[in-house]
Amino acid sequence: MHFPITLVTLVAPLIVSAAPWKRALSSADLQVLKFADLLEQLESRFYTEALAKFQTSDFQEAGFTSGDLPIQQITLIMNDEATHATALGDTIVANGGQVISGCKFNFSSALTDVNTFIATARVVEQVGVGAYLGGTAIISDRAVLQVAGTIATVESRHQTILNALNGANTIPNAFDIPLSPSQVLAIAGGFISGCDVGIPEPVTANAPLTVTNVTGPIQPGTTLSFQSPAINSSIHDNTLFCQIIVGGQNVSTPMPLDQCTVPQNTNGPVVVLITSDSEPLAVSTVDQVTGTTVAGPTVFFVDSVSDLLGKEVRPSMGNSSASAGTSASTS
Ligand SMILES: *[C@@H]1O[C@H](CO)[C@@H](O)[C@H](O)[C@H]1NC(C)=O
Ligand SMILES: *[C@@H]1O[C@H](CO)[C@@H](O)[C@H](O)[C@H]1NC(C)=O
Ligand SMILES: *[C@@H]1O[C@H](CO)[C@@H](O)[C@H](O)[C@H]1NC(C)=O
Ligand SMILES: *[C@@H]1O[C@H](CO)[C@@H](O)[C@H](O)[C@H]1NC(C)=O
Ligand SMILES: *[C@@H]1O[C@H](CO)[C@@H](O)[C@H](O)[C@H]1NC(C)=O
């Protein structure tokens, strides 16, 4: 268990010893910390419930070469998330803030079976990476920014492991995709309800979005249809647009909603939003126009490049696999 110990020594002195670390944080910085802490609480609970439910034999039956391997990796990840949540919570309190607390997390749709759990965990970690990247656009205190960086790199390690546990390409792109807090909540919000201390203003969730007509792998060339409480089926599709964001590009690819097709050469995470106009969205959340967003994003993976490491871990999925969006579709 060297990794959690190493992490504690790296991260903890920076932020747990924050009692003297009163930096007169701006309310925006404090909000980012509260939001990050909420996500870490969610992740920590998610893995705790999963490990209580699934045994070595369940992972073996799901096609892992070793049932102990995913349990060991998920345990490492779970411990990191719990450490992050504690450290962020302590920092929030030390700086006069109030931790978002008392939330109920409902993961029943994501823990139906090992495949769904591992596919959802992959999305959860991608969203975690995106959330910290989005946070860098908001945080003004350089020390807080650096702490966020020390966590973001670890979330990205988790995400790579989850790629391998899904039998997929471990490092699909040279660039990741930032997500704003409103976007993160559109994805994670379906798991969360009833917090005693709520999400700080002015963060409001975008309307959730789900892919409705693809149950198997999503591949380049797959045309998608969607559902969202914000999409009125009586609105003619040609008034709305889907915006597909992939890693490594600086703008989205816009398409009419009823012709929303995954571009050729896509590999790795895909972020899809629905907008009310056809202007491409900047991928940078600093430059991105938000006023046209109608719903989303939803996040899924396109696995078009096979990976020897992924195949070693999960031979049955080594060629092509994908998870259709997240399962956080309950809201
Ligand atoms: C959890 O969510 C599922 C739908 O995914 C729902 O059927 C169930 O009632 C929820 N459980 C609780 C305790 O709210
Ligand atoms: C999903 O729905 C769209 C729009 O109705 C359709 O064009 C597409 O063929 C469907 N995709 C699949 C994989 O069924
Ligand atoms: C959908 O649009 C129709 C026609 O404009 C309207 O009557 C209806 O109330 C709308 N429904 C929702 C849920 O917005
Ligand atoms: C994206 O990059 C291209 C050059 O590759 C540049 O012309 C364009 O202005 C950039 N757009 C944004 C929104 O950064
Ligand atoms: C993966 O590809 C190999 C070689 O093309 C093939 O033999 C194997 O059956 C494929 N596995 C799956 C699960 O599709």
Side-chain angles (χ1 to χ4, degrees):
M1 302 296 264
H2 285 299
F3 280 114
I5 291 164
T6 308
L7 259 180
V8 167
T9 57
L10 270 178
V11 176
L14 269 173
I15 55 183
V16 173
S17 65
W21 192 70
K22 285 185 182 155
R23 304 181 61 90
L25 294 185
S26 70
S27 70
D29 285 7
L30 208 47
Q31 281 176 12
V32 172
L33 292 178
K34 289 166 77 164
F35 185 69
D37 173 65
L38 174 64
L39 262 190
E40 299 288 355
Q41 290 180 45
L42 180 152
E43 292 175 331
S44 169
R45 272 290 287 281
F46 179 50
Y47 294 118
T48 302
E49 288 186 26
L51 288 179
K53 176 161 186 181
F54 301 122
Q55 323 294 317
T56 305
S57 56
D58 297 317
F59 287 98
Q60 267 155 358
E61 280 160 26
F64 284 88
T65 43
S66 153
D68 292 334
L69 187 154
I71 290 182
Q72 183 185 46
Q73 298 301 310
I74 296 295
T75 303
L76 289 170
I77 294 171
M78 175 185 70
N79 290 342
D80 286 350
E81 312 298 18
T83 303
H84 291 164
T86 304
L88 288 166
D90 289 350
T91 302
I92 291 161
V93 170
N95 284 279
Q98 218 180 347
V99 171
I100 300 172
S101 62
C103 305
K104 292 179 182 61
F105 299 105
N106 182 348
F107 300 114
S108 62
S109 63
L111 296 177
T112 48
D113 55 78
V114 162
N115 280 329
T116 305
F117 160 53
I118 291 294
T120 306
R122 188 185 185 195
V123 173
V124 164
E125 293 299 333
Q126 185 68 38
V127 170
V129 169
Y132 281 97
L133 290 176
T136 65
I138 304 166
I139 296 166
S140 56
D141 186 290
R142 287 161 65 92
V144 176
L145 189 60
Q146 192 170 60
V147 166
T150 65
I151 298 177
T153 51
V154 173
E155 297 296 339
S156 124
R157 251 164 246 151
H158 299 166
Q159 208 285 319
T160 295
I161 293 293
L162 261 309
N163 287 341
L165 295 183
N166 278 272
N169 205 194
T170 48
I171 309 170
N173 292 301
F175 298 90
D176 262 313
I177 303 168
L179 298 169
S180 71
S182 297
Q183 293 172 346
V184 171
L185 280 178
I187 300 162
F191 292 128
I192 307 169
S193 66
C195 305
D196 298 336
V197 177
I199 310 292
E201 298 287 342
V203 178
T204 52
N206 288 350
L209 181 69
T210 42
V211 174
T212 50
N213 70 337
V214 187
T215 49
I218 298 177
Q219 287 160 338
T222 302
T223 301
L224 307 170
S225 64
F226 301 93
Q227 127 188 335
S228 168
I231 302 178
N232 187 335
S233 57
S234 66
I235 293 177
H236 216 270
D237 282 348
N238 64 12
T239 65
L240 294 176
F241 298 84
C242 95
Q243 306 276 353
I244 295 193
I245 297 175
V246 297
Q249 293 184 357
N250 65 356
V251 292
S252 67
T253 304
M255 281 166 269
L257 182 56
D258 60 357
Q259 295 162 38
C260 188
T261 303
V262 176
Q264 296 306 322
N265 303 319
T266 299
N267 184 49
V270 178
V271 170
V272 186
L273 292 117
I274 307 301
T275 58
S276 57
D277 77 22
S278 62
E279 277 299 304
L281 291 176
V283 170
S284 161
T285 57
V286 177
D287 296 332
Q288 197 171 75
V289 169
T290 56
T292 60
T293 296
V294 172
T298 185
V299 174
F300 57 82
F301 288 85
V302 171
D303 296 322
S304 46
V305 174
S306 79
D307 187 290
L308 292 175
L309 179 57
K311 274 188 178 176
E312 284 292 323
V313 175
R314 201 96 181 269
S316 57
M317 296 180 79
N319 293 354
S320 171
S321 66
S323 55
T326 65
S327 304
S329 55
T330 50
S331 67

